[in-house]
Amino acid sequence: ELRAAEGTEVVPPDTLLQIEESGHSWFTRAKASFDFGYNQYKADGQKQFSFGAAASYLTSDYFSELQLAVLRTSYDVIPKSERHSALVGTRRFLSHNWFATSYLELLQSDEQALDLRSTWTLGLGNSLYRSHHAFFALTGGAAWTRESFSDAAASEDNSAEALGKMEFNAFDLGDLSFLAKVAVYPSLTIAHRVRADVNSELKWDLP
C-alpha cells in the first residue's frame, strides 16, 4: 500500500520501478540544471559555443518542464550562424500507463533561414515498456506549426499536422544514461510535406 495525503492506493509489487518522494513544498518538487560547451577547430577557424538550461516540476499527477538551448558557430571567412530553441510543456499522468501531453516548441535557425518556427502539440501516449533500467513510450496526436523566414523569397507557412513520437530512455547504467526522441509530423494541409525531429543525449556522470 502507498499512503499519501489524498488517500491510500494498493499497487502490485511487480509494477513498482522506484519510489521517489515528490515533496510537500514547491522547492522539493522542482529541479533545474544547465550545461555549456566550447569547441575550436584549426582547419577553418571554426569556433562553437553551446549553452543549455532545463527546469522541471513533478507531482503525482503532472510533470511540467522548460528547456532552453543556444548554439553559436563562427568562422574565419564566412558569417557566423546561431540556433536558438525553447520548449515548454506538461504531461498529465492517466491510468494504465497512459498519459496526455501538451507542448509548445520554438526554433530560430540561421542555417535554415528560419526566423521562427512555433509548434504547438496535443498528444496521447502510452508507456509500453518500463523497467529499472529503461523506458519506452509512443505518442500520437496533432500539431499546429507556423513558420516565418528571413529569406524574402520564402513565404510564411502555416501547417496542421499529425504527430507520431517515440521516446526511449536508458538509465541507472552505472554512470551512463541515454535518451533518444524521434518525432514525425506529416502535414495535413501541405501536400507531400513531412517533417521530422531527432534528438539524442548521452550523459556520463563524473565521479
Side-chain angles (χ1 to χ4, degrees), residues 6 58-63 90-94:
E6 296 83 3
L58 174 67
T59 71
S60 59
D61 296 320
Y62 291 94
F63 174 74
T90 297
R91 177 176 295 192
R92 172 71 162 90
F93 302 119
L94 307 174

Side-chain angles (χ1 to χ4, degrees), residues 35-41 45-52 69-75 78-85 108-111:
D35 61 81
F36 63 90
Y38 178 80
N39 297 308
Q40 184 171 353
Y41 306 90
Q46 178 181 347
K47 301 179 180 66
Q48 193 173 73
F49 170 78
S50 62
F51 173 80
V70 177
L71 178 64
R72 295 178 178 175
T73 305
S74 61
Y75 307 86
I78 60 177
K80 69 177 182 178
S81 65
E82 296 190 3
R83 186 182 191 275
H84 305 83
S85 62
Q108 179 277 327
S109 173
D110 290 341
E111 290 185 349

Side-chain angles (χ1 to χ4, degrees), residues 53-55 63-69 84-90 102-107 119 121 165 181 185 199:
F63 174 74
S64 301
E65 61 179 326
L66 170 67
Q67 298 178 11
L68 302 172
H84 305 83
S85 62
L87 176 149
V88 60
T90 297
S102 177
Y103 278 87
L104 174 65
E105 299 182 51
L106 304 174
L107 173 65
T119 302
T121 65
K165 184 176 181 181
K181 296 181 180 180
Y185 302 88
N199 296 285

Side-chain angles (χ1 to χ4, degrees), residues 111-178:
E111 290 185 349
Q112 297 174 263
L114 186 64
D115 276 343
L116 180 64
R117 173 192 291 152
S118 58
T119 302
W120 179 56
T121 65
L122 285 173
L124 181 66
N126 186 270
S127 303
L128 298 178
Y129 177 78
R130 295 187 303 168
S131 73
H132 298 284
H133 299 290
F135 168 84
F136 178 73
L138 294 177
T139 302
W144 176 259
T145 296
R146 182 173 184 176
E147 296 174 325
S148 58
F149 299 89
S150 56
D151 186 351
S155 61
E156 183 176 290
D157 288 333
N158 297 310
S159 174
E161 300 165 329
L163 165 65
K165 184 176 181 181
M166 181 276 292
E167 180 178 352
F168 175 74
N169 190 0
F171 48 89
D172 196 19
L173 305 175
D175 296 329
L176 293 175
S177 61
F178 175 72

